[in-house]
Amino acid sequence: MLTNKYSRREILTAGAAATAVSLVPTILPANVFGRGGKIAPSNKITLGIIGAGGRGISDLKRFLAQPDVQFLAICDVQKDRRESCKERVEKENGIKDCSLYRDFRDLLARKDIDAVLIATGDHWHAHASIYAAQHGKDVYSEKPCAITIDLCRQLTNAIKRYGVIFQGGMQRRSIGNFKTAVDLARKGKLGKLKEVHAATYFLKVIYDWLPAQPLPDAETIDWDLWLGPSPWRPYNNDYVKGRWRAHYDFDSGAKFHDWAAHTVDLCQWAVGADGSAPVKYWAEDHILFGMYENGVKLVSRPTGWLGLGNCAVRFEGENGWIETGDSGRIAVAPDSLRNELVNDFDIYGKKFGGSHGEDAEAHVRNFLDCVKNRKQPACNSDIVCSTHIACHAAALSWMLKRELNFNPKNDTFINDEQANRMKTRAWREPWNI
Amino acid sequence: MKMKKIIICVLFVLFSSSFVIAQSGKPSAEETEKNVKILQSIFNNNNSTPTDAQLYDASQAVFRLTQIGTDAAVPELKKLLSCGELNTNVRTALINIGDAGIIALRESLNSIEGKSLIGVIESIGSVRDEKSVVQLIKLTQNSNDTVAKSAILALGKIASVSSISALKSILQTRNSQFRLESANALLIASERVLDTKDNKTAIEIYSLLFRYKEFQTVWSAAVQSYLLLNPQPQDALQLFKELLISEDEIEFRTASFVAVRIESPQVSKLILENLSQFPNNKKAILIEILGIRKERSALPVLIEIASSSSEDVTVKTSAIKALGEIGDMIGIETIFNAINSSEKTVSKAGKESLAKLQGSEFNVTIIKNLDAKNKILRLTALKIIEERRIAEAINKVKILFDDSDIEIKSAAYRAFSQIIVATAADLEPLLYLLQKSDNSEEEKNALKDALRTVCRKIQTRDESVNVIEKFKNINDIENKKFLLDLLFLIGNNNSCKVTAEFARSNNNEIADHATMLLGKWISSEAAPFLIDLAENHPSEKYRVRTLSGYIRIIRQFGLPLEQKYEMIKKAESTAKRGADKKRIAELKENIQTQLKAKPIFDGKTFEGWEGNLSFFRIADNAIVAGTLEKRIPQNEFLCTTKEYENFTLHLEIKILGKGANAGIQFRSKRLSDDKKRPNEVAGYQADMTDTEKFWGCLYDESRRGKFLAEANLDEIKTIFRKNDWNELKIVCKDDNIKLYVNGKMTVDYTETDKKIPRKGIIGLQIHSGGPSEAWYRNIRIEE
């Protein structure tokens, strides 16, 4: 039983008293904090980017196209990236006065930034998101959003803990042709769903290190910060130039998530499995299988598609199937289903009202609306969490080369200690979360 | 030099790590011992700094221990906790090993310093080790600030009674940076106690955190959590109200967050009561929130705001959006008016909201609007009829085909195409209209959209192709290309055939367009047409293009291998350009390899095999020889009925049972006539046991009785997977025999004895002995 009674007065006067005796929280570098202070008007959302590589800038462009975004800061551990990003937005978008940071903690410390776009390498996404949430920032994070099963859970817990808005970069949830396909499956137009197929890459995992190269100075490339929470290894330029994929410490799971984060996500959506995951996983070559509790089979495969573009999905039911991909084109059978398709696409997939599969515009808009009205976005942290856990479990069955049984209610592999061990990694100091 | 070393290690560890990964899911004493020895050899010999190569080896050993390590690894791992290069995975390993590892971490809290200590504290926190609380509390006073903060965070994760009380005391006594850290830790602790249903402690934490407004994020999070927990509805409502009307941004944001998440009707009531006093930006947000809450009681207010001429545009836009979210028909008129607005954002919101409305009278209202005086309303009605496929409107829509206004006409075509269940008969009138020469661009585009829609969903596809063919002499070149687009959309064999005819057109533009479409065809039906064009088209450009389209079908579509092979051969004989030839050769080789290795066991039956079936059974698509239930009294073989001479045999094998022995016979024969040992098979044997022993060795079974060639046992140890599937490949070519285990060649033997047969059966053995099983699967052969 609660005995105290709270009113705003009590809460706030107590707060004021505390403020009177306290200093500015010194976790914030004083100079940065001093510069802040200005509170942005609610109708403009102030934004910073963390990780300004190719995908980051492409996402950023979508943000800058929106009328209610004010862009303030760029952070990247590589000097050439942060500078060329600044140059581009100044030239192409007329942005002025945007600050550069090497360490994202300095960016997060700015009180005048509402939201961050996180587009670092995979191994940084969850940590950066969690720190951003701790600073009260709303987060748009590129996928894959967390590189272990446990980290997925920690991510969504932190997002909920601080009550911030989180959008995972699985923008196909906001794109017409994919929505149409999922809709058809969910409305039962295909009959009882039997199989859901997700396009993926060929899998690959690398456990070794690239040869050591001389360490650049931190201002040019801050290798310690690039590594972040991942175990130490010697510097090699290849990693920082984007060739970190498939390396176990940096990749979410043998390159599987790169597409699967999108395509398995759409399958999860079609099956109605958001918040859950398949209960059994196995692999044959580069084809990964999952089985949902209701008997629907998840098939992730790199080949055998109809050629409708990247990141294809296919849903098969007792009465028909539908397949679509990044081209925007849709194929269905039997013919009677053609009547169900929404008139969103012309024959080359360019849409009247929609966009190409990699285009995050609608997804970004959805995020910005939610930043304002505090609603849950299309790919909120709970959805992101369950989709990624399904992907991790599938990739683990491939890496371990055996069937895995999984309980999605408590994230536990049944009778497989090794698989359970691979759900967790320790983080390099000082990156505690 | 260093580089070389690393590469050698890389190769070694690549093999050994894949070996570990493939093992069963349990920790392994044997593997632990091996890896601990690696670590000892690197770190215990002398005190010199390890080289890069040694660090690499050590990191891989530690990594393997994270997965299979047992308690035996703990002492060596504990020593490495202070090694900056390795300690991250050392901690992963210790946590994974369990109690013994956690004890080691706990003990290290006293002995380790600096950066490494921060990591140890993190790990202690992540496993929520309550027994470390006393030490952690001490560490919160550490002179290194980061150590102290890490300890505070760990206390929050542990969330025991004593750790929470320590955090409260830090929050109330220490300086600001530690206070913030402990406020944060308390918030984490509250989550943990809520997991255990201890709401009381959580509420106590929130009420304490309420006093620290300076830590905005934590404060706001505590208030949000408190309100969502809603222990005292009346108080909570009062608090919500004060947050809502606060001028402070954070407080308002906190209220908004709560408002979209709790159901209490009082929340809506409060928002509505105070709506007029908010500045426009906040008002707009609150109106959206009323929409998200689907607050029907807000409808009159929303309608009033949306219809007002004095309201701010942003506010009006939100009101229109909210009317759509609530979806009640009562808002329809307001929404229609909004669509008519000169303000772009309002009008756009109106269109979006109209699409969301529900209700039985909806269709009637919309159809009625087809007669409206206002053109925008008529257009909107047509658009909605199109989007919602309101079939009842069909007659009125058709009448509008003759409307004098081009925009109305165009919208009518589009709506028509959506609401009909399309048949070939619907195509003809639209095509006639398209053929008319006096169409404006706008009308033409609308007709094209309508035709596309019809073709996309048409169910009588062959008839539709016939209708389109009737128009193939349509005068305008753009129209002709458009007919091709329609054929593409119809996308069946017949339309493909007609498209291929167009591809031979003398008109370059038409040929270009047709070949482009064929190259993207949605089904493999296009293949015969493409190869025909690739062979016979008069223009080289289109021969090359259609060949590419043909190759695309081979590569991308899931066709049977045999069919793909036939297709690639055709492509091969057609290709002229070097680049195409190269692509084709690569693809062909790929298909051939797959094709050559034919399965000789179907996974379900013993078809093609013979033997004493009381010792062989089929399970999980594999042949299982022997049993773990009882002893194997004598050697048993399951043999192919066919003989093989030169071949590559691929298969996977798993051997279970202590002391088990098995093997693959090849170029062998049964000794059925030998009265003393009719069960035996004589000939070459790729030998194997339940351990790495004999794997990859070539034995001469029941013939010369000796090993003809032996594998290097050390090498086998690095690649063999115990109790798991191992791949074996046997390559016989004339006198030469090669064996491969898990992709690595173990034996390269040349038979010099001319009397030894080069041809014979293939047999799967289980050797006599204790209870054991040999599993064989994916048995494929290339001849």
Side-chain angles (χ1 to χ4, degrees), chain A residues 6 8 162 207 335 339 341 343 345 399 402 433, chain B residues 21 23 60 157 184 191 207 242 389 418 456 461:
Chain A
Y6 301 103
R8 172 172 177 269
Y162 297 103
Y207 296 98
D335 280 1
N339 199 34
L341 299 183
N343 192 21
F345 327 97
M399 283 192 261
R402 60 174 171 263
I433 43 168
Chain B
I21 301 279
Q23 279 214 330
Q60 296 294 328
K157 289 187 190 169
N184 219 346
E191 221 170 79
S207 46
E242 298 188 24
R389 300 184 179 179
Q418 281 296 334
R456 188 179 291 113
R461 292 206 255 182

PDB file of all heavy atoms in Angstrom, chain A residues 6 8 162 207 335 339 341 343 345 399 402 433, chain B residues 21 23 60 157 184 191 207 242 389 418 456 461:
ATOM      1  N   TYR A   6       1.271  11.881  -3.901  1.00  0.00           N
ATOM      2  CA  TYR A   6       2.140  12.701  -4.735  1.00  0.00           C
ATOM      3  C   TYR A   6       1.335  13.712  -5.496  1.00  0.00           C
ATOM      4  O   TYR A   6       0.318  13.403  -6.077  1.00  0.00           O
ATOM      5  CB  TYR A   6       2.903  11.822  -5.735  1.00  0.00           C
ATOM      6  CG  TYR A   6       3.713  10.819  -5.018  1.00  0.00           C
ATOM      7  CD1 TYR A   6       3.293   9.506  -4.937  1.00  0.00           C
ATOM      8  CD2 TYR A   6       4.861  11.213  -4.341  1.00  0.00           C
ATOM      9  CE1 TYR A   6       4.013   8.591  -4.229  1.00  0.00           C
ATOM     10  CE2 TYR A   6       5.578  10.303  -3.635  1.00  0.00           C
ATOM     11  CZ  TYR A   6       5.162   8.986  -3.570  1.00  0.00           C
ATOM     12  OH  TYR A   6       5.880   8.097  -2.853  1.00  0.00           O
ATOM     13  N   ARG A   8       2.194  17.111  -8.198  1.00  0.00           N
ATOM     14  CA  ARG A   8       3.280  17.708  -8.944  1.00  0.00           C
ATOM     15  C   ARG A   8       4.084  18.646  -8.044  1.00  0.00           C
ATOM     16  O   ARG A   8       5.297  18.694  -8.091  1.00  0.00           O
ATOM     17  CB  ARG A   8       2.705  18.470 -10.125  1.00  0.00           C
ATOM     18  CG  ARG A   8       3.739  19.293 -10.855  1.00  0.00           C
ATOM     19  CD  ARG A   8       3.149  19.853 -12.119  1.00  0.00           C
ATOM     20  NE  ARG A   8       4.127  20.689 -12.767  1.00  0.00           N
ATOM     21  CZ  ARG A   8       4.250  21.986 -12.560  1.00  0.00           C
ATOM     22  NH1 ARG A   8       3.459  22.593 -11.713  1.00  0.00           N
ATOM     23  NH2 ARG A   8       5.164  22.673 -13.201  1.00  0.00           N
ATOM     24  N   TYR A 162      13.132   3.686 -20.194  1.00  0.00           N
ATOM     25  CA  TYR A 162      13.248   5.144 -20.272  1.00  0.00           C
ATOM     26  C   TYR A 162      12.087   5.779 -21.036  1.00  0.00           C
ATOM     27  O   TYR A 162      12.047   6.986 -21.212  1.00  0.00           O
ATOM     28  CB  TYR A 162      14.593   5.532 -20.901  1.00  0.00           C
ATOM     29  CG  TYR A 162      15.745   5.079 -20.038  1.00  0.00           C
ATOM     30  CD1 TYR A 162      16.488   3.958 -20.368  1.00  0.00           C
ATOM     31  CD2 TYR A 162      16.029   5.746 -18.848  1.00  0.00           C
ATOM     32  CE1 TYR A 162      17.513   3.507 -19.549  1.00  0.00           C
ATOM     33  CE2 TYR A 162      17.051   5.301 -18.022  1.00  0.00           C
ATOM     34  CZ  TYR A 162      17.787   4.188 -18.367  1.00  0.00           C
ATOM     35  OH  TYR A 162      18.780   3.744 -17.552  1.00  0.00           O
ATOM     36  N   TYR A 207      36.104 -16.578 -37.878  1.00  0.00           N
ATOM     37  CA  TYR A 207      36.521 -16.472 -36.486  1.00  0.00           C
ATOM     38  C   TYR A 207      37.923 -15.878 -36.368  1.00  0.00           C
ATOM     39  O   TYR A 207      38.361 -15.534 -35.294  1.00  0.00           O
ATOM     40  CB  TYR A 207      36.502 -17.845 -35.812  1.00  0.00           C
ATOM     41  CG  TYR A 207      35.122 -18.454 -35.738  1.00  0.00           C
ATOM     42  CD1 TYR A 207      34.702 -19.397 -36.673  1.00  0.00           C
ATOM     43  CD2 TYR A 207      34.224 -18.069 -34.749  1.00  0.00           C
ATOM     44  CE1 TYR A 207      33.433 -19.957 -36.609  1.00  0.00           C
ATOM     45  CE2 TYR A 207      32.948 -18.617 -34.683  1.00  0.00           C
ATOM     46  CZ  TYR A 207      32.557 -19.570 -35.619  1.00  0.00           C
ATOM     47  OH  TYR A 207      31.310 -20.103 -35.547  1.00  0.00           O
ATOM     48  N   ASP A 335      -4.950 -17.438 -60.131  1.00  0.00           N
ATOM     49  CA  ASP A 335      -5.337 -16.186 -60.769  1.00  0.00           C
ATOM     50  C   ASP A 335      -6.401 -15.417 -59.995  1.00  0.00           C
ATOM     51  O   ASP A 335      -6.450 -14.198 -60.040  1.00  0.00           O
ATOM     52  CB  ASP A 335      -5.838 -16.444 -62.190  1.00  0.00           C
ATOM     53  CG  ASP A 335      -4.669 -16.630 -63.141  1.00  0.00           C
ATOM     54  OD1 ASP A 335      -3.521 -16.566 -62.653  1.00  0.00           O
ATOM     55  OD2 ASP A 335      -4.899 -16.832 -64.335  1.00  0.00           O
ATOM     56  N   ASN A 339      -7.158 -10.373 -58.220  1.00  0.00           N
ATOM     57  CA  ASN A 339      -8.177  -9.371 -57.941  1.00  0.00           C
ATOM     58  C   ASN A 339      -7.961  -8.697 -56.585  1.00  0.00           C
ATOM     59  O   ASN A 339      -8.482  -7.622 -56.324  1.00  0.00           O
ATOM     60  CB  ASN A 339      -9.560 -10.035 -57.993  1.00  0.00           C
ATOM     61  CG  ASN A 339     -10.659  -9.014 -58.175  1.00  0.00           C
ATOM     62  OD1 ASN A 339     -10.453  -8.008 -58.852  1.00  0.00           O
ATOM     63  ND2 ASN A 339     -11.796  -9.245 -57.556  1.00  0.00           N
ATOM     64  N   LEU A 341      -5.088  -7.665 -55.326  1.00  0.00           N
ATOM     65  CA  LEU A 341      -3.937  -6.781 -55.234  1.00  0.00           C
ATOM     66  C   LEU A 341      -4.354  -5.326 -55.271  1.00  0.00           C
ATOM     67  O   LEU A 341      -5.233  -4.943 -56.032  1.00  0.00           O
ATOM     68  CB  LEU A 341      -2.951  -7.068 -56.367  1.00  0.00           C
ATOM     69  CG  LEU A 341      -2.392  -8.488 -56.358  1.00  0.00           C
ATOM     70  CD1 LEU A 341      -1.380  -8.665 -57.463  1.00  0.00           C
ATOM     71  CD2 LEU A 341      -1.769  -8.815 -55.017  1.00  0.00           C
ATOM     72  N   ASN A 343      -3.955  -1.448 -56.104  1.00  0.00           N
ATOM     73  CA  ASN A 343      -3.402  -0.800 -57.281  1.00  0.00           C
ATOM     74  C   ASN A 343      -2.315   0.202 -56.919  1.00  0.00           C
ATOM     75  O   ASN A 343      -2.407   1.376 -57.198  1.00  0.00           O
ATOM     76  CB  ASN A 343      -4.535  -0.089 -58.025  1.00  0.00           C
ATOM     77  CG  ASN A 343      -4.096   0.349 -59.389  1.00  0.00           C
ATOM     78  OD1 ASN A 343      -3.137  -0.186 -59.926  1.00  0.00           O
ATOM     79  ND2 ASN A 343      -4.792   1.315 -59.949  1.00  0.00           N
ATOM     80  N   PHE A 345       1.066  -0.281 -57.666  1.00  0.00           N
ATOM     81  CA  PHE A 345       2.331  -0.482 -58.360  1.00  0.00           C
ATOM     82  C   PHE A 345       2.122  -0.466 -59.858  1.00  0.00           C
ATOM     83  O   PHE A 345       1.157  -1.000 -60.355  1.00  0.00           O
ATOM     84  CB  PHE A 345       2.913  -1.837 -57.986  1.00  0.00           C
ATOM     85  CG  PHE A 345       2.592  -2.219 -56.594  1.00  0.00           C
ATOM     86  CD1 PHE A 345       1.522  -3.044 -56.316  1.00  0.00           C
ATOM     87  CD2 PHE A 345       3.318  -1.683 -55.557  1.00  0.00           C
ATOM     88  CE1 PHE A 345       1.196  -3.350 -55.021  1.00  0.00           C
ATOM     89  CE2 PHE A 345       3.005  -1.985 -54.255  1.00  0.00           C
ATOM     90  CZ  PHE A 345       1.941  -2.820 -53.978  1.00  0.00           C
ATOM     91  N   MET A 399      25.359 -22.309 -37.534  1.00  0.00           N
ATOM     92  CA  MET A 399      26.734 -22.307 -37.043  1.00  0.00           C
ATOM     93  C   MET A 399      27.046 -23.584 -36.277  1.00  0.00           C
ATOM     94  O   MET A 399      28.143 -24.112 -36.355  1.00  0.00           O
ATOM     95  CB  MET A 399      26.977 -21.089 -36.145  1.00  0.00           C
ATOM     96  CG  MET A 399      27.154 -19.800 -36.924  1.00  0.00           C
ATOM     97  SD  MET A 399      27.769 -18.481 -35.856  1.00  0.00           S
ATOM     98  CE  MET A 399      26.267 -17.610 -35.505  1.00  0.00           C
ATOM     99  N   ARG A 402      23.325 -28.123 -36.225  1.00  0.00           N
ATOM    100  CA  ARG A 402      22.390 -29.107 -35.685  1.00  0.00           C
ATOM    101  C   ARG A 402      21.040 -28.463 -35.390  1.00  0.00           C
ATOM    102  O   ARG A 402      20.929 -27.238 -35.341  1.00  0.00           O
ATOM    103  CB  ARG A 402      22.944 -29.764 -34.419  1.00  0.00           C
ATOM    104  CG  ARG A 402      23.217 -28.799 -33.293  1.00  0.00           C
ATOM    105  CD  ARG A 402      23.621 -29.525 -32.027  1.00  0.00           C
ATOM    106  NE  ARG A 402      24.078 -28.572 -31.033  1.00  0.00           N
ATOM    107  CZ  ARG A 402      25.350 -28.275 -30.810  1.00  0.00           C
ATOM    108  NH1 ARG A 402      26.300 -28.885 -31.483  1.00  0.00           N
ATOM    109  NH2 ARG A 402      25.682 -27.369 -29.900  1.00  0.00           N
ATOM    110  N   ILE A 433      26.333  -1.828 -19.828  1.00  0.00           N
ATOM    111  CA  ILE A 433      24.947  -1.403 -20.052  1.00  0.00           C
ATOM    112  C   ILE A 433      24.048  -2.047 -19.004  1.00  0.00           C
ATOM    113  O   ILE A 433      24.356  -3.080 -18.476  1.00  0.00           O
ATOM    114  CB  ILE A 433      24.435  -1.797 -21.456  1.00  0.00           C
ATOM    115  CG1 ILE A 433      24.866  -3.213 -21.793  1.00  0.00           C
ATOM    116  CG2 ILE A 433      24.905  -0.803 -22.495  1.00  0.00           C
ATOM    117  CD1 ILE A 433      24.203  -3.785 -22.987  1.00  0.00           C
TER     118      ILE A 433
ATOM    119  N   ILE B  21      32.694 -26.207 -33.063  1.00  0.00           N
ATOM    120  CA  ILE B  21      31.337 -25.723 -33.302  1.00  0.00           C
ATOM    121  C   ILE B  21      30.400 -26.875 -33.650  1.00  0.00           C
ATOM    122  O   ILE B  21      29.247 -26.865 -33.285  1.00  0.00           O
ATOM    123  CB  ILE B  21      31.356 -24.712 -34.463  1.00  0.00           C
ATOM    124  CG1 ILE B  21      32.270 -23.562 -34.132  1.00  0.00           C
ATOM    125  CG2 ILE B  21      29.972 -24.215 -34.792  1.00  0.00           C
ATOM    126  CD1 ILE B  21      31.712 -22.523 -33.270  1.00  0.00           C
ATOM    127  N   GLN B  23      30.467 -29.840 -32.623  1.00  0.00           N
ATOM    128  CA  GLN B  23      30.250 -30.865 -31.609  1.00  0.00           C
ATOM    129  C   GLN B  23      28.885 -30.761 -30.967  1.00  0.00           C
ATOM    130  O   GLN B  23      28.158 -29.811 -31.158  1.00  0.00           O
ATOM    131  CB  GLN B  23      31.318 -30.712 -30.546  1.00  0.00           C
ATOM    132  CG  GLN B  23      32.621 -31.365 -30.966  1.00  0.00           C
ATOM    133  CD  GLN B  23      33.332 -31.950 -29.786  1.00  0.00           C
ATOM    134  OE1 GLN B  23      33.193 -31.443 -28.685  1.00  0.00           O
ATOM    135  NE2 GLN B  23      34.069 -32.996 -30.007  1.00  0.00           N
ATOM    136  N   GLN B  60      41.699 -17.394 -29.646  1.00  0.00           N
ATOM    137  CA  GLN B  60      40.873 -18.464 -30.206  1.00  0.00           C
ATOM    138  C   GLN B  60      40.624 -19.558 -29.171  1.00  0.00           C
ATOM    139  O   GLN B  60      39.529 -20.119 -29.107  1.00  0.00           O
ATOM    140  CB  GLN B  60      41.527 -19.047 -31.457  1.00  0.00           C
ATOM    141  CG  GLN B  60      41.642 -18.059 -32.611  1.00  0.00           C
ATOM    142  CD  GLN B  60      40.299 -17.633 -33.164  1.00  0.00           C
ATOM    143  OE1 GLN B  60      39.340 -18.388 -33.173  1.00  0.00           O
ATOM    144  NE2 GLN B  60      40.205 -16.397 -33.623  1.00  0.00           N
ATOM    145  N   LYS B 157      21.560  -3.759 -11.057  1.00  0.00           N
ATOM    146  CA  LYS B 157      21.143  -4.989 -11.746  1.00  0.00           C
ATOM    147  C   LYS B 157      20.844  -6.110 -10.749  1.00  0.00           C
ATOM    148  O   LYS B 157      19.951  -6.910 -10.968  1.00  0.00           O
ATOM    149  CB  LYS B 157      22.247  -5.439 -12.700  1.00  0.00           C
ATOM    150  CG  LYS B 157      22.396  -4.554 -13.917  1.00  0.00           C
ATOM    151  CD  LYS B 157      23.379  -5.178 -14.879  1.00  0.00           C
ATOM    152  CE  LYS B 157      23.739  -4.220 -15.994  1.00  0.00           C
ATOM    153  NZ  LYS B 157      24.876  -4.714 -16.771  1.00  0.00           N
ATOM    154  N   ASN B 184      19.885   6.041 -11.939  1.00  0.00           N
ATOM    155  CA  ASN B 184      19.771   5.140 -13.069  1.00  0.00           C
ATOM    156  C   ASN B 184      19.738   3.679 -12.616  1.00  0.00           C
ATOM    157  O   ASN B 184      18.913   2.879 -13.063  1.00  0.00           O
ATOM    158  CB  ASN B 184      21.020   5.352 -13.930  1.00  0.00           C
ATOM    159  CG  ASN B 184      20.685   5.290 -15.384  1.00  0.00           C
ATOM    160  OD1 ASN B 184      19.606   4.838 -15.758  1.00  0.00           O
ATOM    161  ND2 ASN B 184      21.598   5.723 -16.204  1.00  0.00           N
ATOM    162  N   GLU B 191      12.905  -2.408 -12.274  1.00  0.00           N
ATOM    163  CA  GLU B 191      12.456  -3.350 -13.291  1.00  0.00           C
ATOM    164  C   GLU B 191      12.567  -4.778 -12.773  1.00  0.00           C
ATOM    165  O   GLU B 191      11.682  -5.602 -12.943  1.00  0.00           O
ATOM    166  CB  GLU B 191      13.418  -3.197 -14.467  1.00  0.00           C
ATOM    167  CG  GLU B 191      12.815  -3.216 -15.814  1.00  0.00           C
ATOM    168  CD  GLU B 191      13.885  -2.799 -16.797  1.00  0.00           C
ATOM    169  OE1 GLU B 191      14.741  -3.619 -17.144  1.00  0.00           O
ATOM    170  OE2 GLU B 191      13.871  -1.631 -17.185  1.00  0.00           O
ATOM    171  N   SER B 207       9.052   6.752  -6.012  1.00  0.00           N
ATOM    172  CA  SER B 207       8.736   7.939  -5.218  1.00  0.00           C
ATOM    173  C   SER B 207      10.005   8.640  -4.759  1.00  0.00           C
ATOM    174  O   SER B 207      10.037   9.856  -4.618  1.00  0.00           O
ATOM    175  CB  SER B 207       7.823   7.582  -4.042  1.00  0.00           C
ATOM    176  OG  SER B 207       8.306   6.436  -3.403  1.00  0.00           O
ATOM    177  N   GLU B 242      -1.257  17.614 -13.684  1.00  0.00           N
ATOM    178  CA  GLU B 242      -0.270  18.666 -13.481  1.00  0.00           C
ATOM    179  C   GLU B 242       0.876  18.593 -14.478  1.00  0.00           C
ATOM    180  O   GLU B 242       1.424  19.605 -14.895  1.00  0.00           O
ATOM    181  CB  GLU B 242       0.203  18.631 -12.026  1.00  0.00           C
ATOM    182  CG  GLU B 242      -0.977  18.902 -11.109  1.00  0.00           C
ATOM    183  CD  GLU B 242      -0.584  19.083  -9.657  1.00  0.00           C
ATOM    184  OE1 GLU B 242       0.567  19.452  -9.399  1.00  0.00           O
ATOM    185  OE2 GLU B 242      -1.440  18.850  -8.785  1.00  0.00           O
ATOM    186  N   ARG B 389     -13.112  -0.050 -53.542  1.00  0.00           N
ATOM    187  CA  ARG B 389     -13.776  -0.979 -54.470  1.00  0.00           C
ATOM    188  C   ARG B 389     -15.277  -1.079 -54.167  1.00  0.00           C
ATOM    189  O   ARG B 389     -15.804  -2.164 -53.875  1.00  0.00           O
ATOM    190  CB  ARG B 389     -13.138  -2.354 -54.395  1.00  0.00           C
ATOM    191  CG  ARG B 389     -11.672  -2.277 -54.762  1.00  0.00           C
ATOM    192  CD  ARG B 389     -11.048  -3.625 -54.785  1.00  0.00           C
ATOM    193  NE  ARG B 389      -9.644  -3.504 -55.159  1.00  0.00           N
ATOM    194  CZ  ARG B 389      -8.809  -4.507 -55.245  1.00  0.00           C
ATOM    195  NH1 ARG B 389      -9.239  -5.714 -54.999  1.00  0.00           N
ATOM    196  NH2 ARG B 389      -7.573  -4.318 -55.602  1.00  0.00           N
ATOM    197  N   GLN B 418     -11.051  -0.720 -60.935  1.00  0.00           N
ATOM    198  CA  GLN B 418     -10.885  -1.331 -59.617  1.00  0.00           C
ATOM    199  C   GLN B 418     -12.123  -2.077 -59.153  1.00  0.00           C
ATOM    200  O   GLN B 418     -12.008  -3.090 -58.486  1.00  0.00           O
ATOM    201  CB  GLN B 418     -10.527  -0.258 -58.578  1.00  0.00           C
ATOM    202  CG  GLN B 418      -9.080   0.157 -58.597  1.00  0.00           C
ATOM    203  CD  GLN B 418      -8.137  -0.974 -58.217  1.00  0.00           C
ATOM    204  OE1 GLN B 418      -8.501  -1.899 -57.506  1.00  0.00           O
ATOM    205  NE2 GLN B 418      -6.913  -0.915 -58.735  1.00  0.00           N
ATOM    206  N   ARG B 456      -3.842  -6.704 -64.701  1.00  0.00           N
ATOM    207  CA  ARG B 456      -3.181  -7.270 -63.530  1.00  0.00           C
ATOM    208  C   ARG B 456      -4.074  -8.281 -62.840  1.00  0.00           C
ATOM    209  O   ARG B 456      -3.619  -9.281 -62.321  1.00  0.00           O
ATOM    210  CB  ARG B 456      -2.796  -6.141 -62.574  1.00  0.00           C
ATOM    211  CG  ARG B 456      -1.921  -6.597 -61.410  1.00  0.00           C
ATOM    212  CD  ARG B 456      -1.548  -5.444 -60.508  1.00  0.00           C
ATOM    213  NE  ARG B 456      -0.629  -4.519 -61.153  1.00  0.00           N
ATOM    214  CZ  ARG B 456      -0.931  -3.276 -61.482  1.00  0.00           C
ATOM    215  NH1 ARG B 456      -2.136  -2.800 -61.234  1.00  0.00           N
ATOM    216  NH2 ARG B 456      -0.046  -2.495 -62.053  1.00  0.00           N
ATOM    217  N   ARG B 461      -7.213 -15.125 -68.815  1.00  0.00           N
ATOM    218  CA  ARG B 461      -6.011 -14.552 -69.389  1.00  0.00           C
ATOM    219  C   ARG B 461      -5.866 -14.809 -70.889  1.00  0.00           C
ATOM    220  O   ARG B 461      -5.458 -13.927 -71.636  1.00  0.00           O
ATOM    221  CB  ARG B 461      -4.785 -15.065 -68.631  1.00  0.00           C
ATOM    222  CG  ARG B 461      -4.742 -14.520 -67.215  1.00  0.00           C
ATOM    223  CD  ARG B 461      -3.342 -14.485 -66.711  1.00  0.00           C
ATOM    224  NE  ARG B 461      -3.081 -15.555 -65.759  1.00  0.00           N
ATOM    225  CZ  ARG B 461      -1.911 -15.711 -65.149  1.00  0.00           C
ATOM    226  NH1 ARG B 461      -0.907 -14.913 -65.426  1.00  0.00           N
ATOM    227  NH2 ARG B 461      -1.728 -16.686 -64.288  1.00  0.00           N
TER     228      ARG B 461
END
